[in-house]
PDB file of all heavy atoms in Angstrom:
ATOM      1  N   PRO A 193     139.159   2.683 -69.936  1.00  0.00           N
ATOM      2  CA  PRO A 193     138.641   1.348 -70.249  1.00  0.00           C
ATOM      3  C   PRO A 193     137.695   0.883 -69.136  1.00  0.00           C
ATOM      4  O   PRO A 193     137.817   1.295 -67.983  1.00  0.00           O
ATOM      5  CB  PRO A 193     139.886   0.460 -70.282  1.00  0.00           C
ATOM      6  CG  PRO A 193     141.053   1.376 -70.263  1.00  0.00           C
ATOM      7  CD  PRO A 193     140.592   2.687 -69.720  1.00  0.00           C
ATOM      8  N   LEU A 194     136.756   0.047 -69.496  1.00  0.00           N
ATOM      9  CA  LEU A 194     135.809  -0.479 -68.527  1.00  0.00           C
ATOM     10  C   LEU A 194     136.323  -1.768 -67.907  1.00  0.00           C
ATOM     11  O   LEU A 194     137.090  -2.498 -68.522  1.00  0.00           O
ATOM     12  CB  LEU A 194     134.472  -0.758 -69.214  1.00  0.00           C
ATOM     13  CG  LEU A 194     133.798   0.432 -69.878  1.00  0.00           C
ATOM     14  CD1 LEU A 194     132.572  -0.027 -70.654  1.00  0.00           C
ATOM     15  CD2 LEU A 194     133.422   1.483 -68.853  1.00  0.00           C
ATOM     16  N   VAL A 195     135.869  -2.043 -66.699  1.00  0.00           N
ATOM     17  CA  VAL A 195     136.196  -3.314 -66.050  1.00  0.00           C
ATOM     18  C   VAL A 195     135.082  -4.308 -66.355  1.00  0.00           C
ATOM     19  O   VAL A 195     133.981  -3.934 -66.786  1.00  0.00           O
ATOM     20  CB  VAL A 195     136.395  -3.154 -64.527  1.00  0.00           C
ATOM     21  CG1 VAL A 195     137.577  -2.241 -64.238  1.00  0.00           C
ATOM     22  CG2 VAL A 195     135.147  -2.635 -63.852  1.00  0.00           C
ATOM     23  N   TYR A 196     135.350  -5.569 -66.116  1.00  0.00           N
ATOM     24  CA  TYR A 196     134.428  -6.641 -66.465  1.00  0.00           C
ATOM     25  C   TYR A 196     133.032  -6.429 -65.876  1.00  0.00           C
ATOM     26  O   TYR A 196     132.029  -6.608 -66.572  1.00  0.00           O
ATOM     27  CB  TYR A 196     135.005  -7.984 -66.007  1.00  0.00           C
ATOM     28  CG  TYR A 196     134.082  -9.137 -66.275  1.00  0.00           C
ATOM     29  CD1 TYR A 196     133.960  -9.667 -67.558  1.00  0.00           C
ATOM     30  CD2 TYR A 196     133.309  -9.683 -65.251  1.00  0.00           C
ATOM     31  CE1 TYR A 196     133.104 -10.718 -67.817  1.00  0.00           C
ATOM     32  CE2 TYR A 196     132.442 -10.740 -65.510  1.00  0.00           C
ATOM     33  CZ  TYR A 196     132.347 -11.250 -66.784  1.00  0.00           C
ATOM     34  OH  TYR A 196     131.495 -12.289 -67.033  1.00  0.00           O
ATOM     35  N   THR A 197     132.947  -6.051 -64.613  1.00  0.00           N
ATOM     36  CA  THR A 197     131.635  -5.882 -63.981  1.00  0.00           C
ATOM     37  C   THR A 197     130.834  -4.758 -64.639  1.00  0.00           C
ATOM     38  O   THR A 197     129.613  -4.852 -64.745  1.00  0.00           O
ATOM     39  CB  THR A 197     131.759  -5.619 -62.472  1.00  0.00           C
ATOM     40  OG1 THR A 197     132.630  -4.496 -62.263  1.00  0.00           O
ATOM     41  CG2 THR A 197     132.319  -6.831 -61.750  1.00  0.00           C
ATOM     42  N   GLU A 198     131.510  -3.715 -65.087  1.00  0.00           N
ATOM     43  CA  GLU A 198     130.821  -2.637 -65.794  1.00  0.00           C
ATOM     44  C   GLU A 198     130.271  -3.130 -67.127  1.00  0.00           C
ATOM     45  O   GLU A 198     129.146  -2.796 -67.502  1.00  0.00           O
ATOM     46  CB  GLU A 198     131.763  -1.457 -66.021  1.00  0.00           C
ATOM     47  CG  GLU A 198     132.138  -0.721 -64.759  1.00  0.00           C
ATOM     48  CD  GLU A 198     133.178   0.350 -64.986  1.00  0.00           C
ATOM     49  OE1 GLU A 198     134.156   0.090 -65.731  1.00  0.00           O
ATOM     50  OE2 GLU A 198     133.018   1.442 -64.419  1.00  0.00           O
ATOM     51  N   ILE A 199     131.054  -3.922 -67.822  1.00  0.00           N
ATOM     52  CA  ILE A 199     130.622  -4.464 -69.109  1.00  0.00           C
ATOM     53  C   ILE A 199     129.389  -5.343 -68.929  1.00  0.00           C
ATOM     54  O   ILE A 199     128.432  -5.253 -69.702  1.00  0.00           O
ATOM     55  CB  ILE A 199     131.772  -5.227 -69.793  1.00  0.00           C
ATOM     56  CG1 ILE A 199     132.873  -4.239 -70.185  1.00  0.00           C
ATOM     57  CG2 ILE A 199     131.268  -6.007 -71.013  1.00  0.00           C
ATOM     58  CD1 ILE A 199     134.171  -4.882 -70.629  1.00  0.00           C
ATOM     59  N   GLU A 200     129.378  -6.150 -67.887  1.00  0.00           N
ATOM     60  CA  GLU A 200     128.208  -6.990 -67.606  1.00  0.00           C
ATOM     61  C   GLU A 200     126.983  -6.132 -67.302  1.00  0.00           C
ATOM     62  O   GLU A 200     125.877  -6.423 -67.756  1.00  0.00           O
ATOM     63  CB  GLU A 200     128.499  -7.947 -66.446  1.00  0.00           C
ATOM     64  CG  GLU A 200     129.506  -9.021 -66.799  1.00  0.00           C
ATOM     65  CD  GLU A 200     129.026  -9.894 -67.955  1.00  0.00           C
ATOM     66  OE1 GLU A 200     127.886 -10.398 -67.903  1.00  0.00           O
ATOM     67  OE2 GLU A 200     129.792 -10.066 -68.922  1.00  0.00           O
ATOM     68  N   SER A 201     127.161  -5.055 -66.555  1.00  0.00           N
ATOM     69  CA  SER A 201     126.051  -4.149 -66.240  1.00  0.00           C
ATOM     70  C   SER A 201     125.522  -3.463 -67.494  1.00  0.00           C
ATOM     71  O   SER A 201     124.310  -3.259 -67.645  1.00  0.00           O
ATOM     72  CB  SER A 201     126.497  -3.098 -65.223  1.00  0.00           C
ATOM     73  OG  SER A 201     126.828  -3.703 -63.998  1.00  0.00           O
ATOM     74  N   ILE A 202     126.429  -3.110 -68.390  1.00  0.00           N
ATOM     75  CA  ILE A 202     126.029  -2.466 -69.648  1.00  0.00           C
ATOM     76  C   ILE A 202     125.220  -3.433 -70.494  1.00  0.00           C
ATOM     77  O   ILE A 202     124.210  -3.051 -71.105  1.00  0.00           O
ATOM     78  CB  ILE A 202     127.257  -1.937 -70.405  1.00  0.00           C
ATOM     79  CG1 ILE A 202     127.864  -0.760 -69.632  1.00  0.00           C
ATOM     80  CG2 ILE A 202     126.900  -1.526 -71.828  1.00  0.00           C
ATOM     81  CD1 ILE A 202     129.242  -0.372 -70.083  1.00  0.00           C
ATOM     82  N   ARG A 203     125.605  -4.671 -70.515  1.00  0.00           N
ATOM     83  CA  ARG A 203     124.841  -5.672 -71.277  1.00  0.00           C
ATOM     84  C   ARG A 203     123.434  -5.814 -70.723  1.00  0.00           C
ATOM     85  O   ARG A 203     122.473  -5.964 -71.483  1.00  0.00           O
ATOM     86  CB  ARG A 203     125.576  -7.004 -71.261  1.00  0.00           C
ATOM     87  CG  ARG A 203     126.816  -6.971 -72.125  1.00  0.00           C
ATOM     88  CD  ARG A 203     127.496  -8.303 -72.206  1.00  0.00           C
ATOM     89  NE  ARG A 203     128.655  -8.198 -73.078  1.00  0.00           N
ATOM     90  CZ  ARG A 203     129.808  -8.810 -72.866  1.00  0.00           C
ATOM     91  NH1 ARG A 203     129.957  -9.584 -71.806  1.00  0.00           N
ATOM     92  NH2 ARG A 203     130.804  -8.657 -73.699  1.00  0.00           N
ATOM     93  N   ALA A 204     123.287  -5.730 -69.408  1.00  0.00           N
ATOM     94  CA  ALA A 204     121.954  -5.777 -68.805  1.00  0.00           C
ATOM     95  C   ALA A 204     121.158  -4.529 -69.180  1.00  0.00           C
ATOM     96  O   ALA A 204     119.951  -4.617 -69.451  1.00  0.00           O
ATOM     97  CB  ALA A 204     122.074  -5.912 -67.290  1.00  0.00           C
ATOM     98  N   LEU A 205     121.821  -3.375 -69.211  1.00  0.00           N
ATOM     99  CA  LEU A 205     121.149  -2.131 -69.612  1.00  0.00           C
ATOM    100  C   LEU A 205     120.600  -2.237 -71.026  1.00  0.00           C
ATOM    101  O   LEU A 205     119.512  -1.734 -71.316  1.00  0.00           O
ATOM    102  CB  LEU A 205     122.132  -0.957 -69.566  1.00  0.00           C
ATOM    103  CG  LEU A 205     122.252  -0.155 -68.305  1.00  0.00           C
ATOM    104  CD1 LEU A 205     123.319   0.924 -68.457  1.00  0.00           C
ATOM    105  CD2 LEU A 205     120.942   0.460 -67.899  1.00  0.00           C
ATOM    106  N   GLU A 206     121.356  -2.872 -71.895  1.00  0.00           N
ATOM    107  CA  GLU A 206     120.933  -3.025 -73.298  1.00  0.00           C
ATOM    108  C   GLU A 206     119.614  -3.793 -73.400  1.00  0.00           C
ATOM    109  O   GLU A 206     118.836  -3.563 -74.322  1.00  0.00           O
ATOM    110  CB  GLU A 206     121.997  -3.761 -74.111  1.00  0.00           C
ATOM    111  CG  GLU A 206     123.206  -2.938 -74.421  1.00  0.00           C
ATOM    112  CD  GLU A 206     124.223  -3.701 -75.243  1.00  0.00           C
ATOM    113  OE1 GLU A 206     124.825  -4.657 -74.712  1.00  0.00           O
ATOM    114  OE2 GLU A 206     124.407  -3.336 -76.417  1.00  0.00           O
ATOM    115  N   ASP A 207     119.379  -4.698 -72.452  1.00  0.00           N
ATOM    116  CA  ASP A 207     118.136  -5.472 -72.457  1.00  0.00           C
ATOM    117  C   ASP A 207     116.954  -4.666 -71.930  1.00  0.00           C
ATOM    118  O   ASP A 207     115.812  -4.995 -72.204  1.00  0.00           O
ATOM    119  CB  ASP A 207     118.287  -6.738 -71.606  1.00  0.00           C
ATOM    120  CG  ASP A 207     119.275  -7.729 -72.204  1.00  0.00           C
ATOM    121  OD1 ASP A 207     119.503  -7.676 -73.434  1.00  0.00           O
ATOM    122  OD2 ASP A 207     119.817  -8.544 -71.441  1.00  0.00           O
ATOM    123  N   GLU A 208     117.246  -3.613 -71.165  1.00  0.00           N
ATOM    124  CA  GLU A 208     116.191  -2.864 -70.485  1.00  0.00           C
ATOM    125  C   GLU A 208     115.839  -1.531 -71.154  1.00  0.00           C
ATOM    126  O   GLU A 208     114.734  -1.023 -70.956  1.00  0.00           O
ATOM    127  CB  GLU A 208     116.614  -2.575 -69.048  1.00  0.00           C
ATOM    128  CG  GLU A 208     116.847  -3.816 -68.215  1.00  0.00           C
ATOM    129  CD  GLU A 208     117.492  -3.515 -66.880  1.00  0.00           C
ATOM    130  OE1 GLU A 208     117.501  -2.341 -66.460  1.00  0.00           O
ATOM    131  OE2 GLU A 208     117.994  -4.461 -66.260  1.00  0.00           O
ATOM    132  N   HIS A 209     116.781  -0.953 -71.903  1.00  0.00           N
ATOM    133  CA  HIS A 209     116.578   0.394 -72.429  1.00  0.00           C
ATOM    134  C   HIS A 209     117.054   0.490 -73.878  1.00  0.00           C
ATOM    135  O   HIS A 209     117.998  -0.190 -74.276  1.00  0.00           O
ATOM    136  CB  HIS A 209     117.361   1.418 -71.593  1.00  0.00           C
ATOM    137  CG  HIS A 209     116.933   1.441 -70.161  1.00  0.00           C
ATOM    138  ND1 HIS A 209     115.788   2.068 -69.738  1.00  0.00           N
ATOM    139  CD2 HIS A 209     117.498   0.891 -69.057  1.00  0.00           C
ATOM    140  CE1 HIS A 209     115.670   1.915 -68.433  1.00  0.00           C
ATOM    141  NE2 HIS A 209     116.688   1.201 -67.994  1.00  0.00           N
ATOM    142  N   PRO A 210     116.437   1.378 -74.659  1.00  0.00           N
ATOM    143  CA  PRO A 210     116.886   1.580 -76.040  1.00  0.00           C
ATOM    144  C   PRO A 210     118.275   2.224 -76.083  1.00  0.00           C
ATOM    145  O   PRO A 210     118.667   2.968 -75.180  1.00  0.00           O
ATOM    146  CB  PRO A 210     115.851   2.534 -76.641  1.00  0.00           C
ATOM    147  CG  PRO A 210     114.832   2.783 -75.609  1.00  0.00           C
ATOM    148  CD  PRO A 210     115.271   2.183 -74.323  1.00  0.00           C
ATOM    149  N   TYR A 211     118.984   1.935 -77.138  1.00  0.00           N
ATOM    150  CA  TYR A 211     120.343   2.446 -77.347  1.00  0.00           C
ATOM    151  C   TYR A 211     120.408   3.962 -77.175  1.00  0.00           C
ATOM    152  O   TYR A 211     121.292   4.479 -76.495  1.00  0.00           O
ATOM    153  CB  TYR A 211     120.820   2.048 -78.752  1.00  0.00           C
ATOM    154  CG  TYR A 211     122.191   2.569 -79.108  1.00  0.00           C
ATOM    155  CD1 TYR A 211     123.317   1.797 -78.860  1.00  0.00           C
ATOM    156  CD2 TYR A 211     122.357   3.826 -79.699  1.00  0.00           C
ATOM    157  CE1 TYR A 211     124.583   2.267 -79.188  1.00  0.00           C
ATOM    158  CE2 TYR A 211     123.623   4.299 -80.018  1.00  0.00           C
ATOM    159  CZ  TYR A 211     124.722   3.512 -79.763  1.00  0.00           C
ATOM    160  OH  TYR A 211     125.973   3.986 -80.082  1.00  0.00           O
ATOM    161  N   GLU A 212     119.475   4.676 -77.783  1.00  0.00           N
ATOM    162  CA  GLU A 212     119.511   6.142 -77.759  1.00  0.00           C
ATOM    163  C   GLU A 212     119.395   6.694 -76.343  1.00  0.00           C
ATOM    164  O   GLU A 212     120.033   7.681 -75.993  1.00  0.00           O
ATOM    165  CB  GLU A 212     118.399   6.729 -78.639  1.00  0.00           C
ATOM    166  CG  GLU A 212     118.561   6.449 -80.107  1.00  0.00           C
ATOM    167  CD  GLU A 212     118.057   5.062 -80.515  1.00  0.00           C
ATOM    168  OE1 GLU A 212     117.452   4.349 -79.672  1.00  0.00           O
ATOM    169  OE2 GLU A 212     118.279   4.681 -81.676  1.00  0.00           O
ATOM    170  N   ARG A 213     118.567   6.062 -75.522  1.00  0.00           N
ATOM    171  CA  ARG A 213     118.407   6.499 -74.135  1.00  0.00           C
ATOM    172  C   ARG A 213     119.712   6.298 -73.359  1.00  0.00           C
ATOM    173  O   ARG A 213     120.140   7.157 -72.598  1.00  0.00           O
ATOM    174  CB  ARG A 213     117.267   5.737 -73.467  1.00  0.00           C
ATOM    175  CG  ARG A 213     117.011   6.200 -72.040  1.00  0.00           C
ATOM    176  CD  ARG A 213     115.937   5.380 -71.356  1.00  0.00           C
ATOM    177  NE  ARG A 213     114.669   5.517 -72.058  1.00  0.00           N
ATOM    178  CZ  ARG A 213     113.718   4.590 -72.064  1.00  0.00           C
ATOM    179  NH1 ARG A 213     113.881   3.463 -71.402  1.00  0.00           N
ATOM    180  NH2 ARG A 213     112.593   4.790 -72.712  1.00  0.00           N
ATOM    181  N   ILE A 214     120.336   5.148 -73.561  1.00  0.00           N
ATOM    182  CA  ILE A 214     121.590   4.859 -72.858  1.00  0.00           C
ATOM    183  C   ILE A 214     122.678   5.823 -73.307  1.00  0.00           C
ATOM    184  O   ILE A 214     123.414   6.370 -72.479  1.00  0.00           O
ATOM    185  CB  ILE A 214     122.025   3.398 -73.096  1.00  0.00           C
ATOM    186  CG1 ILE A 214     120.962   2.431 -72.545  1.00  0.00           C
ATOM    187  CG2 ILE A 214     123.385   3.132 -72.452  1.00  0.00           C
ATOM    188  CD1 ILE A 214     121.164   0.988 -72.960  1.00  0.00           C
ATOM    189  N   GLU A 215     122.765   6.042 -74.603  1.00  0.00           N
ATOM    190  CA  GLU A 215     123.770   6.957 -75.140  1.00  0.00           C
ATOM    191  C   GLU A 215     123.584   8.363 -74.555  1.00  0.00           C
ATOM    192  O   GLU A 215     124.547   9.017 -74.152  1.00  0.00           O
ATOM    193  CB  GLU A 215     123.681   6.986 -76.660  1.00  0.00           C
ATOM    194  CG  GLU A 215     124.736   7.843 -77.313  1.00  0.00           C
ATOM    195  CD  GLU A 215     124.600   7.851 -78.822  1.00  0.00           C
ATOM    196  OE1 GLU A 215     123.458   7.890 -79.330  1.00  0.00           O
ATOM    197  OE2 GLU A 215     125.640   7.828 -79.485  1.00  0.00           O
ATOM    198  N   TYR A 216     122.351   8.822 -74.498  1.00  0.00           N
ATOM    199  CA  TYR A 216     122.047  10.128 -73.909  1.00  0.00           C
ATOM    200  C   TYR A 216     122.468  10.167 -72.438  1.00  0.00           C
ATOM    201  O   TYR A 216     123.089  11.131 -71.981  1.00  0.00           O
ATOM    202  CB  TYR A 216     120.548  10.414 -74.042  1.00  0.00           C
ATOM    203  CG  TYR A 216     120.120  11.682 -73.360  1.00  0.00           C
ATOM    204  CD1 TYR A 216     120.242  12.911 -74.001  1.00  0.00           C
ATOM    205  CD2 TYR A 216     119.594  11.652 -72.075  1.00  0.00           C
ATOM    206  CE1 TYR A 216     119.849  14.087 -73.370  1.00  0.00           C
ATOM    207  CE2 TYR A 216     119.202  12.822 -71.442  1.00  0.00           C
ATOM    208  CZ  TYR A 216     119.333  14.028 -72.090  1.00  0.00           C
ATOM    209  OH  TYR A 216     118.947  15.186 -71.469  1.00  0.00           O
ATOM    210  N   ALA A 217     122.159   9.108 -71.697  1.00  0.00           N
ATOM    211  CA  ALA A 217     122.498   9.057 -70.275  1.00  0.00           C
ATOM    212  C   ALA A 217     124.014   9.052 -70.057  1.00  0.00           C
ATOM    213  O   ALA A 217     124.512   9.662 -69.106  1.00  0.00           O
ATOM    214  CB  ALA A 217     121.863   7.829 -69.639  1.00  0.00           C
ATOM    215  N   VAL A 218     124.752   8.401 -70.935  1.00  0.00           N
ATOM    216  CA  VAL A 218     126.218   8.413 -70.842  1.00  0.00           C
ATOM    217  C   VAL A 218     126.744   9.829 -71.061  1.00  0.00           C
ATOM    218  O   VAL A 218     127.631  10.294 -70.331  1.00  0.00           O
ATOM    219  CB  VAL A 218     126.859   7.420 -71.849  1.00  0.00           C
ATOM    220  CG1 VAL A 218     128.376   7.612 -71.915  1.00  0.00           C
ATOM    221  CG2 VAL A 218     126.519   5.991 -71.484  1.00  0.00           C
ATOM    222  N   ARG A 219     126.200  10.526 -72.041  1.00  0.00           N
ATOM    223  CA  ARG A 219     126.625  11.910 -72.285  1.00  0.00           C
ATOM    224  C   ARG A 219     126.340  12.789 -71.070  1.00  0.00           C
ATOM    225  O   ARG A 219     127.179  13.599 -70.670  1.00  0.00           O
ATOM    226  CB  ARG A 219     125.926  12.476 -73.527  1.00  0.00           C
ATOM    227  CG  ARG A 219     126.458  11.934 -74.833  1.00  0.00           C
ATOM    228  CD  ARG A 219     125.999  12.760 -76.045  1.00  0.00           C
ATOM    229  NE  ARG A 219     124.608  13.137 -76.022  1.00  0.00           N
ATOM    230  CZ  ARG A 219     123.613  12.451 -76.586  1.00  0.00           C
ATOM    231  NH1 ARG A 219     123.870  11.324 -77.230  1.00  0.00           N
ATOM    232  NH2 ARG A 219     122.371  12.893 -76.528  1.00  0.00           N
ATOM    233  N   GLN A 220     125.164  12.600 -70.483  1.00  0.00           N
ATOM    234  CA  GLN A 220     124.816  13.379 -69.291  1.00  0.00           C
ATOM    235  C   GLN A 220     125.778  13.075 -68.148  1.00  0.00           C
ATOM    236  O   GLN A 220     126.241  13.983 -67.454  1.00  0.00           O
ATOM    237  CB  GLN A 220     123.371  13.076 -68.847  1.00  0.00           C
ATOM    238  CG  GLN A 220     122.328  13.549 -69.795  1.00  0.00           C
ATOM    239  CD  GLN A 220     122.287  15.073 -69.879  1.00  0.00           C
ATOM    240  OE1 GLN A 220     122.822  15.788 -69.049  1.00  0.00           O
ATOM    241  NE2 GLN A 220     121.658  15.573 -70.907  1.00  0.00           N
ATOM    242  N   ALA A 221     126.067  11.813 -67.939  1.00  0.00           N
ATOM    243  CA  ALA A 221     126.978  11.411 -66.865  1.00  0.00           C
ATOM    244  C   ALA A 221     128.365  12.020 -67.071  1.00  0.00           C
ATOM    245  O   ALA A 221     128.976  12.531 -66.123  1.00  0.00           O
ATOM    246  CB  ALA A 221     127.077   9.883 -66.801  1.00  0.00           C
ATOM    247  N   ALA A 222     128.841  11.985 -68.299  1.00  0.00           N
ATOM    248  CA  ALA A 222     130.163  12.544 -68.596  1.00  0.00           C
ATOM    249  C   ALA A 222     130.189  14.051 -68.357  1.00  0.00           C
ATOM    250  O   ALA A 222     131.136  14.575 -67.765  1.00  0.00           O
ATOM    251  CB  ALA A 222     130.564  12.217 -70.034  1.00  0.00           C
ATOM    252  N   GLU A 223     129.140  14.741 -68.791  1.00  0.00           N
ATOM    253  CA  GLU A 223     129.085  16.191 -68.604  1.00  0.00           C
ATOM    254  C   GLU A 223     129.048  16.582 -67.131  1.00  0.00           C
ATOM    255  O   GLU A 223     129.599  17.611 -66.738  1.00  0.00           O
ATOM    256  CB  GLU A 223     127.844  16.765 -69.301  1.00  0.00           C
ATOM    257  CG  GLU A 223     127.949  16.771 -70.807  1.00  0.00           C
ATOM    258  CD  GLU A 223     126.662  17.225 -71.486  1.00  0.00           C
ATOM    259  OE1 GLU A 223     125.780  17.800 -70.805  1.00  0.00           O
ATOM    260  OE2 GLU A 223     126.539  16.996 -72.701  1.00  0.00           O
ATOM    261  N   LEU A 224     128.408  15.749 -66.315  1.00  0.00           N
ATOM    262  CA  LEU A 224     128.288  16.036 -64.886  1.00  0.00           C
ATOM    263  C   LEU A 224     129.399  15.397 -64.054  1.00  0.00           C
ATOM    264  O   LEU A 224     129.379  15.467 -62.830  1.00  0.00           O
ATOM    265  CB  LEU A 224     126.921  15.550 -64.377  1.00  0.00           C
ATOM    266  CG  LEU A 224     125.716  16.237 -65.006  1.00  0.00           C
ATOM    267  CD1 LEU A 224     124.434  15.527 -64.603  1.00  0.00           C
ATOM    268  CD2 LEU A 224     125.677  17.707 -64.603  1.00  0.00           C
ATOM    269  N   ASN A 225     130.360  14.764 -64.744  1.00  0.00           N
ATOM    270  CA  ASN A 225     131.476  14.082 -64.091  1.00  0.00           C
ATOM    271  C   ASN A 225     130.987  12.993 -63.130  1.00  0.00           C
ATOM    272  O   ASN A 225     131.528  12.811 -62.052  1.00  0.00           O
ATOM    273  CB  ASN A 225     132.391  15.072 -63.377  1.00  0.00           C
ATOM    274  CG  ASN A 225     133.776  14.508 -63.160  1.00  0.00           C
ATOM    275  OD1 ASN A 225     134.232  13.654 -63.919  1.00  0.00           O
ATOM    276  ND2 ASN A 225     134.443  14.968 -62.118  1.00  0.00           N
ATOM    277  N   LYS A 226     129.938  12.289 -63.527  1.00  0.00           N
ATOM    278  CA  LYS A 226     129.361  11.180 -62.765  1.00  0.00           C
ATOM    279  C   LYS A 226     129.584   9.899 -63.567  1.00  0.00           C
ATOM    280  O   LYS A 226     128.649   9.246 -64.000  1.00  0.00           O
ATOM    281  CB  LYS A 226     127.862  11.393 -62.531  1.00  0.00           C
ATOM    282  CG  LYS A 226     127.512  12.683 -61.876  1.00  0.00           C
ATOM    283  CD  LYS A 226     127.786  12.611 -60.405  1.00  0.00           C
ATOM    284  CE  LYS A 226     127.256  13.875 -59.729  1.00  0.00           C
ATOM    285  NZ  LYS A 226     127.484  13.867 -58.311  1.00  0.00           N
ATOM    286  N   ARG A 227     130.803   9.554 -63.767  1.00  0.00           N
ATOM    287  CA  ARG A 227     131.167   8.478 -64.689  1.00  0.00           C
ATOM    288  C   ARG A 227     131.069   7.095 -64.050  1.00  0.00           C
ATOM    289  O   ARG A 227     132.078   6.456 -63.765  1.00  0.00           O
ATOM    290  CB  ARG A 227     132.557   8.751 -65.245  1.00  0.00           C
ATOM    291  CG  ARG A 227     132.584  10.002 -66.119  1.00  0.00           C
ATOM    292  CD  ARG A 227     133.974  10.349 -66.590  1.00  0.00           C
ATOM    293  NE  ARG A 227     133.912  11.406 -67.563  1.00  0.00           N
ATOM    294  CZ  ARG A 227     134.227  12.664 -67.286  1.00  0.00           C
ATOM    295  NH1 ARG A 227     134.598  13.003 -66.076  1.00  0.00           N
ATOM    296  NH2 ARG A 227     134.146  13.583 -68.230  1.00  0.00           N
ATOM    297  N   SER A 228     129.829   6.653 -63.839  1.00  0.00           N
ATOM    298  CA  SER A 228     129.609   5.300 -63.341  1.00  0.00           C
ATOM    299  C   SER A 228     128.424   4.693 -64.086  1.00  0.00           C
ATOM    300  O   SER A 228     127.492   5.398 -64.472  1.00  0.00           O
ATOM    301  CB  SER A 228     129.345   5.289 -61.831  1.00  0.00           C
ATOM    302  OG  SER A 228     128.041   5.727 -61.537  1.00  0.00           O
ATOM    303  N   VAL A 229     128.485   3.397 -64.265  1.00  0.00           N
ATOM    304  CA  VAL A 229     127.407   2.699 -64.953  1.00  0.00           C
ATOM    305  C   VAL A 229     126.129   2.803 -64.123  1.00  0.00           C
ATOM    306  O   VAL A 229     125.042   2.959 -64.672  1.00  0.00           O
ATOM    307  CB  VAL A 229     127.780   1.227 -65.222  1.00  0.00           C
ATOM    308  CG1 VAL A 229     126.620   0.471 -65.847  1.00  0.00           C
ATOM    309  CG2 VAL A 229     129.001   1.151 -66.125  1.00  0.00           C
ATOM    310  N   ARG A 230     126.255   2.770 -62.816  1.00  0.00           N
ATOM    311  CA  ARG A 230     125.076   2.890 -61.949  1.00  0.00           C
ATOM    312  C   ARG A 230     124.382   4.237 -62.158  1.00  0.00           C
ATOM    313  O   ARG A 230     123.161   4.313 -62.202  1.00  0.00           O
ATOM    314  CB  ARG A 230     125.492   2.715 -60.482  1.00  0.00           C
ATOM    315  CG  ARG A 230     124.348   2.819 -59.519  1.00  0.00           C
ATOM    316  CD  ARG A 230     123.395   1.638 -59.635  1.00  0.00           C
ATOM    317  NE  ARG A 230     122.275   1.852 -58.726  1.00  0.00           N
ATOM    318  CZ  ARG A 230     121.013   1.746 -59.058  1.00  0.00           C
ATOM    319  NH1 ARG A 230     120.681   1.386 -60.273  1.00  0.00           N
ATOM    320  NH2 ARG A 230     120.060   1.969 -58.196  1.00  0.00           N
ATOM    321  N   TYR A 231     125.137   5.308 -62.306  1.00  0.00           N
ATOM    322  CA  TYR A 231     124.539   6.616 -62.561  1.00  0.00           C
ATOM    323  C   TYR A 231     123.783   6.600 -63.885  1.00  0.00           C
ATOM    324  O   TYR A 231     122.670   7.111 -63.982  1.00  0.00           O
ATOM    325  CB  TYR A 231     125.616   7.704 -62.571  1.00  0.00           C
ATOM    326  CG  TYR A 231     125.035   9.090 -62.681  1.00  0.00           C
ATOM    327  CD1 TYR A 231     124.676   9.799 -61.538  1.00  0.00           C
ATOM    328  CD2 TYR A 231     124.838   9.683 -63.920  1.00  0.00           C
ATOM    329  CE1 TYR A 231     124.126  11.066 -61.635  1.00  0.00           C
ATOM    330  CE2 TYR A 231     124.285  10.949 -64.029  1.00  0.00           C
ATOM    331  CZ  TYR A 231     123.932  11.637 -62.881  1.00  0.00           C
ATOM    332  OH  TYR A 231     123.378  12.882 -62.978  1.00  0.00           O
ATOM    333  N   VAL A 232     124.379   6.001 -64.900  1.00  0.00           N
ATOM    334  CA  VAL A 232     123.724   5.902 -66.210  1.00  0.00           C
ATOM    335  C   VAL A 232     122.440   5.090 -66.084  1.00  0.00           C
ATOM    336  O   VAL A 232     121.405   5.463 -66.633  1.00  0.00           O
ATOM    337  CB  VAL A 232     124.683   5.289 -67.251  1.00  0.00           C
ATOM    338  CG1 VAL A 232     123.966   4.982 -68.559  1.00  0.00           C
ATOM    339  CG2 VAL A 232     125.870   6.211 -67.499  1.00  0.00           C
TER     340      VAL A 232
END
């Protein structure tokens, strides 16, 4: 589960980048075991 600050950061990401780009970046982060919103 995400913490509140991560959720707020994700909402900011939604304003800056298209959904598909963010989704791709999350997959990349998970594959590389870099599971942070900042990495995404």
Side-chain angles (χ1 to χ4, degrees):
L194 301 173
V195 297
Y196 177 77
T197 54
E198 291 174 317
I199 293 169
E200 291 300 309
S201 296
I202 291 166
R203 288 184 179 142
L205 269 178
E206 286 181 292
D207 293 337
E208 299 170 15
H209 299 282
Y211 178 92
E212 294 82 7
R213 183 184 298 152
I214 298 169
E215 183 181 39
Y216 175 84
V218 170
R219 286 194 316 267
Q220 293 294 344
E223 288 175 15
L224 297 171
N225 202 27
K226 305 282 187 180
R227 294 176 171 104
S228 76
V229 176
R230 180 69 183 130
Y231 186 89
V232 171

